[in-house]
Each structure stands twice: as structure tokens, then as C-alpha cells.
Amino acid sequence: MPELGCRSREFSQVANAVGGLRLGWTDMLEGETMSLSRRDLMKLGVVGGAALALPLERTVSAGSIAQSRLASSRLPPPFTLPFRVPEPLRPYRTDATTDFYKVYMKPLQAEVIPGLRTPLWGYNGLVPGPTVRVSQGRRTVMRQVNNLPGRHPILNYTPWTSVHLHGSASLPQYDGYASDITNPGQYKDYVYPNTQTARTLWYHDHGLHHTAENVLMGLAAQYQLTDSLEQSLPIPHGDYDVPLLVSDAMFASDGSLFFDNHDESGMYGDVILVNGVPWPTMKVKRRRYRFRILNASVSRSYQWSLDSGDVLTVIATDGGLMPYPQKVQRFRHGAAERYEVIIDFSKMPVGRRVVLRNTSPKNNIDYVNTNKVMAFDVVGDDFDPAANSVPDVLNPTNPTMLLTARDAVRTRRLDMVREHGRWTINGHTWDDVVKSKFSLVEADPREGDVEVWEIRNPSGGWFHPVHIHLIDFRILDRNGRPPMPHELGPKDVVYVGENETVRVVARFEGRGKYMIHCHNLVHEDHDMMTQFVVRADQDVFDPFSDPCKSLPEANDL
Amino acid sequence: MSTSTSARRTDPGTGPPPPAGAVPVSRSRAAAALCCVAGLVHLLVAREHVEVWALAAFFFITVSAGQLWLAQALWRGLNARLVPAAVLLTSGLVALYVLSRTIGLPIPAAGEVGLSESHHAGPQVPGGQGNGVPVLPGSGAGTAIATVGPLDLVCLVAQLGALALLVGLLPAGQRRSLGNLLLAVGLCGWVVWGLVHFT
């Protein structure tokens, strides 16, 4: 065995053998006798090697379990798959005033990409979920049962849920308050008043921390509210009133969804899905169609246009019919916004294909075919000529659209800012709300107050579709200029683009706490969400006042 | 005793030999430079830890201050009696680093600033069962295990270099004892790694 405390010559021999060490050590020693023996070096080598290698190995192995993205060559070419419409949801039972529904959130395997099975989660096992159609004045009770697995199969989180009926002035305890959650194995009965004007709503998950993932997995569907005015208009109804849930997704090589939130900036897919089908083709007759376009994407915004150059006639926005239809060549559409659009195929020859295109607004991540959405193939079949026009006037007396800045009793400001890696509103996040025991609010209007809210996005690097729960609002201006033509209707989400300041005016009717958040769901989850309270002389409603129950279901629906 | 042996070994041309009990100048200064690098890296990362957990930032500032003090002491000629303490403290820091990057520490990870788990480290979800924060594949988010970054490697290499130099400054008996202790720790690390990966 070598003697401990070898001299410099011996060390130099070792160092020569370990070439990389030689220069540094001999330089540092400057001719001194090295007191580390070969045995010392071996001991230090063992511990130093462990210190260097084990953490690196852990990091590399963590990276290696990342999903591998499905090659674009495996994706279906655009316009090769048939269009389909989501199934309707039938009431479980009805009585004189109320329709009762049961919805089971559960896993499914879908063949979204031909030849591959994609694990998804759906309302009643459907993606998109079933469409609810209700009439104004009839109350809805919707039992939402969380039959999801205890863990997400890839992302390993507990998929608690909170169902938000987006566009409904629901009571706080039925509004999908993010922290009012339903765990797997629990259920909750949501009550919806349906007292508002006709509109396209949607129900989607709003569970704290993982709304983006739950919605991407499929927990989203349309909910259509009708009223007598909407039914009386000669606009397309029935088969010619078509829901379009547009979303985007990316897939892994095994067919599962591919998750990448790009450092929490957003999830952007290379596949555009319409009603869950990649770039579908729809056969259309030579007449007008009404499309209820919902941007159900997690993050992506779109700018629609037709490759034929024909106009899109926008007749309704988030809060229902516009005062007057607006003809546009193209329009911008942020996440969660709804626009009802008439497309006139009557002058197009049979056999003509018209493509709905997307000229992507900036700060999205685009791929080869994200500039295409779906195709319409004109066919010569007979059709019902009724309800095939667009009147010049739709709903000129919508109270929201009659509000002006002069009606407001105060102006408030919301600053949408990324600070230290966190998405904030006025410097606050939902974690701040939770830490305050849900007492922190950004605004506290009294019931019936009209207020102007000025929403600012000082960044040029991203946009925010800002959603204010409970209310409909009117957009007053954007950077001091009039709103865009397609925005001239009642809204509950406003696209606050890069370096934009948008002013909206609203009347606050209702009582209790409601959320304000960015509807880029990745921003929302991380953690661009806060709340306001509508104060009243009577007690305000508590979002936690009607919590979920554990299964089995009670027979009380 | 190697202390006296060491005291005889001085840099050529640096004047009279250092006082008895001081460590050799060249090795001491090399160790000082490496400790200085490690201390500055710890100071640099303290800021990002503030955003996650103030106590962690305090820890890093304390470590940084200790290493910078050690650096200046080594530069000036550290009393040889303090070398074992310096070896143990540096070894401890290396061990903490390895734990934080392999099995995780029960504290939020500063490397994950901007990722989900650091945002939601504080408040719990009322009624929530389990962890609701998604762990994106390859991100390490949702765990307390930080990933290895370039600054980590710079700091680690500096600390390992300083450790080797400091061990070399120890008297033979202490060197053997501490060397065996480090060997045992290193072997334990490799054995645990082997058990995890091959059983």
C-alpha cells in the first residue's frame, strides 16, 4: 500500500496519469510538495464524483421522461376528416320551473389523430362535452359528478374540479369559484338562473391550479340560452345554427396530449380542432349559416377570415345579440370569447370549397397548419328557406349597450403585469386572495353601481383575454380609439392586446364575490386571478356556502 | 505534524516564512479564490430565493458571508486549527447541494421560480385532497427537487476544488480521518443510487 503523504513527484505521476488534473494542480502548487496521496485522491474522487454525477444524472433522467412530440407527418392533412356537432344534453327530469341535468366527468379514449388513442376527460365521457340548450326563465340544476381518476395519468395531479358556466350571472356558490372545488369521488349541484338575454355560454372547468390542463383534457362544452327575441329573428336556427368549439392541441408520439406551457406563457398546439376534430370539412347547403364560434383554446387567439374573401357578419358577442350586425372581412378572437357569425353560402357554386383561415395575431406560437381551421364544401342539397336572413337591427335596447362612461360612479384600474415570473393583477395573485382568507378584493362596487374599469397591459410581449365574472360589459375604447366593429356587443371577455389599455363600462347586479382573471388559462393558473365583491344592504352570498358532497349521490335531484 | 511541515513550505520569493500554525500560502490562496467564487455564486442566487422563501435567502446570504470570510482568511493565512472546520462546512454544503438535486429538501426550490410549485407553495386548497399542481414532464415542477444549472456546476466545482485543497492542508491524521468520512459519505451516495436504479 502506498504510504500516506506522498511527495510532489509521486503526485505528479498521478496527475500525469489523470491528464486533466495536472495543469491546475501543478500551477497551484508552484513547486510545493503535495500532501495528497493517491489514496486521498481516490477518496476525494469518490465523493467528488458522487457530488457531480448524481445530481446531473437526476436532472438528465427527469428530462428524459419528457414526452416526445408526435411528428407532423403523423398528423392528418387538413380537411380530410368529417365535421361533427357535439351531442345535445337531455334533462334528467323537469318540473314546472326547472330542468335537471346530470353530468359525469369521466375518462375516455378518443381517436383524435387517426390510428392513435388519446386519453381524455369529458363531461359524460364526451369531448367536447354535450351542448345544453335552455330557454330564458327556466332554471337549471346541473349535477356535476367528478368521476375522474385520483391522479392525472401524466401530470400526476389530483383533478379536483369547479365547473364555471361562463356567461351566466350565477350566484357565487354556483359560479365555479376556483377554490370551491369538487374532488374525485364528490359531486356538486350547480344552480343556474337563466334570466339573462339569449347568448352562447360555455361550461368548463375552473379548478384551482390546473384549469388549463383540465380544459385541454376536454372539460368544455357549449350552453345555449334562448329567448323570445332571439327566436323571433329570421336568423338561422335549428340545423343551420351550428356550434364551433375551436381549440388547439399537440400530441405525443403515443397519442396522448403533449403538455408544454412554454415557461408558463401558454399552451399552443400544432393541431387545430373544431368540435374535437382536426381541421374538419363540413358540407354546407347554398344558404346562410349561423356559427356560434367559441374559442376554447387554452391560450391561442385567432383572426378569422374566409379564403374566398367573403364577409363574416357578426351578430352576437359573449353577452348575446349585438344592437346591429357588423360585416367584417376578418376579426380577432381571444380565448373564451364567443362570436356568432353568419356566413352566406347562397351565391357559391356547388362544389366550391371555402376555407376558414386563421391569420394568427402576434405572440401566439404557430405551426405549419395553424393558419387553417376548417373547410366548407358547398353541396346542392335542398334546404329549408326559412330563417335565412340577417335583419338590420338585432337588439338595440340591450341595457349593457346603452351604458356610457357618464353613467359610471367611479373608475377603477386593473394592471395586468408579469412580475418576478408571476402573472399578476394589480400586483396580486390568487395565492394572495387565498392567503387573505378570501378577503382581498380589487373592487367593491355596491349592487346596482355602474363603473368604468380601465384594463391595462403594459407589455408588448403577450396579450390577455380578461374575463370579469358575473357581469356583461360594453367596451368603451381601446387605447382611446373606438372598439373594433366585431366588439360592438355585450361582452364578458375583452382582448387586451400588447400595450393596450381598454376601458369597459358595466352595471354590477348581483351580490357576493366573483373572480377576475386572464383567460389564457396558463396565466390564470399561474396566477393571474383575483376577485371583486358586489356589496349590498343584505348579506352577500358566500362562494363556499354550498359545498360539494361525497359520493354516492343523494336521490335529491 | 504536517502543520509544521506545511509551515516550512512557502512560495518562493514571498519573503520570510509565515508564522507557525498558518497554512501554506499558495494552496491557501488557491482555496481562497475557489471559496470566493462559491461565496459570490451563493450571493448571486440569494436574490431569486427571496421571491420564493425569505428564510432560504437568509441561508444563502449567511453561507455566502461565511465563504467570503473564509476566502479572506485563507488569503491572509488561515490558522491551521480552523482548516478541519472549513473542510466539514464545505463538505456539508456539498452534501446539501446533492440532497437538494436528488431527493429534494423540504423547502421551495429557487430554481423553480416562475414554475407552478413555487407559486403555490404556501396556501393550501380548502378541501383539496392531494396535490393539485400538475407536474409537466421533464420540468421537475411540482417536486422539491431542483434541477442542475450552470451556476450550480460553477459553485460545486469551486467547492470541490476548495475541499480538496483544504483536505491537503490537514495534518496526516486528520486528513486520514476526514478522508475516510468523506469516502464513506460518497460510497453511501453511490450505493443509494445503485439501489434506486438497479433494484
Side-chain angles (χ1 to χ4, degrees):
Chain A
M1 292 292 287
E3 195 179 322
L4 292 174
C6 66
R7 299 292 176 191
S8 61
R9 192 172 49 186
E10 292 168 350
F11 171 74
S12 293
Q13 288 168 351
V14 175
N16 279 333
V18 189
L21 283 175
R22 185 183 177 204
L23 183 61
W25 278 98
T26 49
D27 282 355
M28 280 192 284
L29 290 169
E30 296 177 17
E32 290 177 35
T33 302
M34 178 61 205
S35 55
L36 282 177
S37 69
R38 189 178 301 149
R39 180 174 291 179
D40 292 332
L41 282 172
M42 286 176 65
K43 291 174 184 174
L44 288 168
V46 169
V47 74
L52 272 167
L54 300 185
L56 276 174
E57 191 274 342
R58 172 65 176 74
T59 297
V60 170
S61 65
S64 70
I65 61 169
Q67 299 169 288
S68 67
R69 185 181 146 198
L70 183 67
S72 53
S73 59
R74 294 283 310 275
L75 300 176
F79 319 134
T80 55
L81 297 171
F83 176 81
R84 65 180 166 88
V85 171
E87 292 181 17
L89 182 66
R90 310 285 181 209
Y92 167 74
R93 74 178 179 88
T94 63
D95 65 17
T97 60
T98 307
D99 298 323
F100 298 86
Y101 295 87
K102 281 188 176 181
V103 177
Y104 295 87
M105 294 173 252
K106 55 185 178 184
L108 67 140
Q109 296 268 339
E111 189 173 342
V112 181
I113 304 297
L116 291 172
R117 307 295 292 177
T118 302
L120 297 172
W121 293 342
Y123 293 116
N124 284 350
L126 299 168
V127 175
T131 303
V132 179
R133 291 190 181 88
V134 296
S135 298
Q136 185 187 47
R138 279 194 66 77
R139 201 175 68 124
T140 299
V141 177
M142 187 179 283
R143 172 163 294 177
Q144 289 282 359
V145 182
N146 185 341
N147 275 341
L148 299 174
R151 287 271 167 187
H152 187 280
I154 297 170
L155 307 181
N156 206 33
Y157 65 89
T158 305
W160 57 60
T161 57
S162 181
V163 182
H164 172 49
L165 179 55
H166 187 137
S168 171
S170 309
L171 293 174
Q173 59 269 41
Y174 305 122
D175 192 49
Y177 195 71
S179 293
D180 175 31
I181 59 168
T182 302
N183 292 291
Q186 297 179 327
Y187 69 98
K188 173 160 175 155
D189 294 339
Y190 289 86
V191 181
Y192 303 127
N194 301 324
T195 53
Q196 294 161 290
T197 52
R199 62 188 61 195
T200 302
L201 306 91
W202 63 305
Y203 58 105
H204 66 84
D205 192 60
H206 214 304
L208 189 61
H209 299 335
H210 50 244
T211 296
E213 288 79 9
N214 277 5
V215 169
L216 190 65
M217 288 292 287
L219 295 177
Q222 279 201 7
Y223 182 111
Q224 299 171 0
L225 175 61
T226 68
D227 63 12
S228 55
L229 171 64
E230 187 259 345
Q231 287 294 313
S232 70
L233 293 174
I235 54 179
H237 296 290
D239 290 344
Y240 308 107
D241 176 0
V242 182
L244 300 182
L245 282 88
V246 184
S247 57
D248 60 318
M250 191 170 274
F251 295 84
S253 52
D254 63 355
S256 62
L257 290 173
F258 184 91
F259 297 92
D260 183 356
N261 68 14
H262 300 278
D263 193 22
E264 299 178 357
S265 63
M267 288 184 177
Y268 298 93
D270 55 353
V271 178
I272 303 296
L273 302 161
V274 180
N275 296 341
V277 180
W279 303 288
T281 298
M282 176 186 180
K283 287 184 168 47
V284 291
K285 299 170 184 175
R286 300 180 68 203
R287 58 156 290 153
R288 290 183 176 88
Y289 281 72
R290 170 188 183 183
F291 295 100
R292 297 175 185 253
I293 310 177
L294 158 64
N295 179 353
S297 284
V298 169
S299 303
R300 183 179 293 283
S301 64
Y302 300 84
Q303 180 162 258
W304 315 116
S305 63
L306 297 173
D307 70 343
S308 61
D310 287 287
V311 297
L312 301 158
T313 305
V314 184
I315 62 166
T317 52
D318 310 331
L321 292 164
M322 305 168 89
Y324 311 99
Q326 301 293 323
K327 292 187 175 182
V328 294
Q329 291 285 339
R330 60 187 62 81
F331 70 94
R332 187 171 72 173
H333 192 159
E337 289 184 296
R338 289 88 69 207
Y339 290 101
E340 296 181 29
V341 174
I342 304 288
I343 300 178
D344 185 359
F345 299 102
S346 62
K347 297 184 181 65
M348 295 180 187
V350 172
R352 173 75 186 272
R353 167 169 287 184
V354 179
V355 173
L356 179 62
R357 298 189 305 191
N358 166 37
T359 316
S360 181
K362 64 180 175 179
N363 287 316
N364 290 286
I365 298 176
D366 295 318
Y367 299 92
V368 174
N369 283 320
T370 50
N371 60 348
K372 305 171 187 71
V373 181
M374 66 179 293
F376 304 101
D377 284 348
V378 180
V379 297
D381 299 356
D382 293 338
F383 59 85
D384 181 353
N388 190 20
S389 61
V390 181
D392 293 335
V393 177
L394 296 165
N395 184 7
T397 58
N398 184 314
T400 299
M401 297 309 295
L402 299 176
L403 293 173
T404 69
R406 286 190 300 277
D407 298 319
V409 295
R410 65 186 67 83
T411 297
R412 301 183 195 267
R413 178 183 289 174
L414 296 177
D415 287 334
M416 316 295 287
V417 176
R418 190 173 204 183
E419 293 177 345
H420 308 305
R422 301 182 317 161
W423 298 103
T424 69
I425 300 176
N426 287 350
H428 297 135
T429 65
W430 192 254
D431 269 1
D432 295 324
V433 173
V434 175
K435 285 174 190 164
S436 74
K437 296 187 166 49
F438 303 98
S439 63
L440 174 69
V441 293
E442 301 305 320
D444 59 346
R446 290 195 63 81
E447 188 174 22
D449 278 358
V450 175
E451 295 192 352
V452 169
W453 285 16
E454 186 176 291
I455 309 169
R456 302 196 313 170
N457 172 15
S459 169
W462 42 74
F463 56 88
H464 299 295
V466 177
H467 176 37
I468 305 172
H469 284 227
L470 175 68
I471 58 165
D472 293 342
F473 55 74
R474 179 183 156 224
I475 300 174
L476 290 171
D477 49 50
R478 170 174 275 105
N479 283 352
R481 304 176 120 182
M484 297 174 190
H486 69 281
E487 298 175 311
L488 295 172
K491 299 280 293 163
D492 56 39
V493 180
V494 61
Y495 195 113
V496 185
E498 295 79 359
N499 299 117
E500 284 187 351
T501 297
V502 181
R503 291 196 314 148
V504 304
V505 62
R507 184 183 299 279
F508 289 81
E509 289 173 314
R511 282 178 279 156
K513 291 173 187 159
Y514 290 91
M515 295 174 288
I516 311 162
H517 61 90
C518 177
H519 224 293
N520 177 334
L521 297 178
V522 175
H523 294 187
E524 176 190 325
D525 284 335
H526 300 284
D527 202 16
M528 200 172 231
M529 183 160 65
T530 184
Q531 64 176 354
F532 65 98
V533 63
V534 183
R535 294 175 293 131
D537 293 332
Q538 306 97 316
D539 289 342
V540 296
F541 297 103
D542 179 358
F544 297 107
S545 61
D546 189 3
C548 63
K549 301 179 180 73
S550 291
L551 291 171
E553 294 178 65
N555 295 319
D556 57 353
L557 190 65
Chain B
M1 284 293 291
S2 67
T3 328
S4 56
T5 308
S6 301
R8 281 190 277 109
R9 295 174 194 136
T10 56
D11 282 342
T14 54
V23 297
V25 173
S26 61
R27 269 174 281 159
S28 176
R29 289 193 168 178
L34 292 169
C35 284
C36 186
V37 169
L40 290 176
V41 171
H42 282 130
L43 191 62
L44 198 64
V45 300
R47 186 175 167 274
E48 62 187 84
H49 281 269
V50 171
E51 296 173 355
V52 181
W53 196 38
L55 272 179
F58 176 75
F59 169 78
F60 279 99
I61 289 170
T62 306
V63 166
S64 173
Q67 289 182 317
L68 292 174
W69 178 86
L70 181 63
Q72 65 81 29
L74 282 165
W75 191 266
R76 292 180 179 179
L78 179 68
N79 190 308
R81 281 176 298 182
L82 293 178
V83 174
V87 168
L88 286 174
L89 286 173
T90 306
S91 309
L93 289 174
V94 171
L96 263 182
Y97 162 80
V98 172
L99 290 175
S100 71
R101 266 62 181 172
T102 50
I103 61 173
L105 299 175
I107 56 171
E112 309 302 324
V113 170
L115 296 183
S116 51
E117 52 92 19
S118 59
H119 287 323
H120 309 304
Q124 298 299 308
V125 180
Q129 296 174 0
N131 178 16
V133 180
V135 182
L136 266 61
S139 71
T143 72
I145 303 172
T147 51
V148 177
L151 275 180
D152 293 325
L153 289 175
V154 169
C155 190
L156 177 67
V157 168
Q159 290 185 139
L160 288 175
L163 185 63
L165 286 166
L166 289 167
V167 168
L169 295 173
L170 288 169
Q174 288 183 352
R175 190 187 328 132
R176 188 162 48 246
S177 304
L178 276 174
N180 289 339
L181 179 64
L182 292 175
L183 175 67
V185 171
L187 282 174
C188 281
W190 283 113
V191 167
V192 170
W193 178 84
L195 287 173
V196 168
H197 284 78
F198 298 112
T199 59

